[in-house]
């Protein structure tokens, strides 16, 4: 019988303290997202807003609140400013975070499954082992963010990830490969120029019209991804897995670097004329 969160708080504590790459351990199968721990809030919007405004003032008149471990799921927190705040281990599942600001915030090991972050700003935020499956991030700004979380099935249409780092953490593999997971994510028309995607999981991702200029795609998993009309100028495809990848046109491919060093190029799909 599967262990469920509602019956085993010690289990979830262990999973949160010692997270793995979600692709390798599939955390969600151990978690009951409908349990009170994962689906309710211990604070009201007014209380969260008051805490943010009462937080100690830092440089440039910015405040940094401590919301570590707080249960804030299914709460309307749209438009609030969490800049620089600590939300490590916080639960924000299915919360409305439209237009909220999380610039430089710490969201490590936080839960934002099915959260709505449309047009939110997470510039330079820390998203280590963060669970963001199916999150809505259309038009969101994640530029310069450090991401080793799971965004499988997330919608990032038109999102900004310029200079973001989703590469694998090669120094911390005791609990599995820690990397950005964008499996089956929708990244159409997103801007990932200059992003570090080394060993990131982009399998089956929608990358049509996506800007991947100057990206580091070393060892990235692009199996089954759709790169129709993607900009690959200067993108490094060394050892990238192109199994069943739908490639862009010849002109775009000619601007990529080390295409000849990609894996399974012979198994990639070419656009039809």
């Amino acid at each position: 019988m599967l262990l469920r969160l509602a019956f085993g708080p010690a289990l979830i504590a262990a999973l949160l303290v010692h997270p793995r790459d979600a692709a390798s351990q599939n955390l969600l199968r151990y978690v009951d997202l409908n349990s009170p721990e994962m689906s309710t809030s211990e604070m009201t919007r007014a209380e969260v807003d008051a805490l943010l405004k009462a937080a100690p003032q830092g440089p440039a008149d910015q405040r940094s609140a401590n919301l570590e471990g707080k249960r804030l799921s299914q709460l309307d927190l749209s438009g609030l400013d969490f800049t620089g705040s600590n939300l490590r281990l916080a639960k924000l599942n299915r919360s409305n975070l439209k237009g909220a600001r999380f610039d430089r915030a710490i969201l490590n090991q936080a839960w934002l499954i099915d959260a709505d972050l449309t047009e939110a700003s997470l510039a330079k935020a820390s998203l280590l082992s963060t669970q963001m499956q199916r999150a809505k991030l259309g038009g969101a700004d994640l530029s310069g963010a450090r991401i080793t979380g799971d965004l499988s099935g997330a919608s990032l249409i038109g999102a900004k990830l310029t200079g973001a780092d989703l590469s694998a953490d090669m120094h911390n593999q005791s609990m599995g490969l820690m990397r950005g997971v964008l499996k089956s994510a929708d990244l159409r028309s997103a801007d990932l120029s200059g992003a570090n995607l080394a060993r990131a999981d982009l399998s089956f991702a929608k990358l049509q019209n996506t800007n991947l200029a100057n990206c580091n795609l070393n060892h990235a998993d692009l199996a089954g991804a759709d790169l129709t009309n993607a900009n690959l100028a200067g993108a490094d495809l060394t050892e990238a897995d192109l199994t069943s990848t739908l490639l862009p046109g010849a002109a775009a491919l000619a601007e990529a670097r080390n295409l000849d060093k990609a894996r399974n190029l012979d198994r990639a799909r070419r656009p039809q004329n």
Side-chain angles (χ1 to χ4, degrees), residues 69-80:
K70 292 294 185 181
R71 289 187 289 105
L72 304 171
S73 292
Q74 302 197 63
L75 195 62
D76 182 359
L77 301 172
S78 56
L80 295 187

Side-chain angles (χ1 to χ4, degrees), residues 23 166 179-184 197 199-204 220-221:
L166 293 92
R179 58 176 175 170
V181 177
L182 291 161
K183 186 174 183 178
S184 299
L197 300 167
R199 299 183 186 273
D201 185 352
L202 291 151
S203 57
F204 302 100
D221 187 350

Side-chain angles (χ1 to χ4, degrees), residues 77-82 97-102 118-122:
L77 301 172
S78 56
L80 295 187
D81 189 352
F82 295 88
L97 303 167
K98 291 181 180 179
R101 299 191 67 86
F102 293 93
T118 304
E119 300 291 339
S121 182
L122 297 96

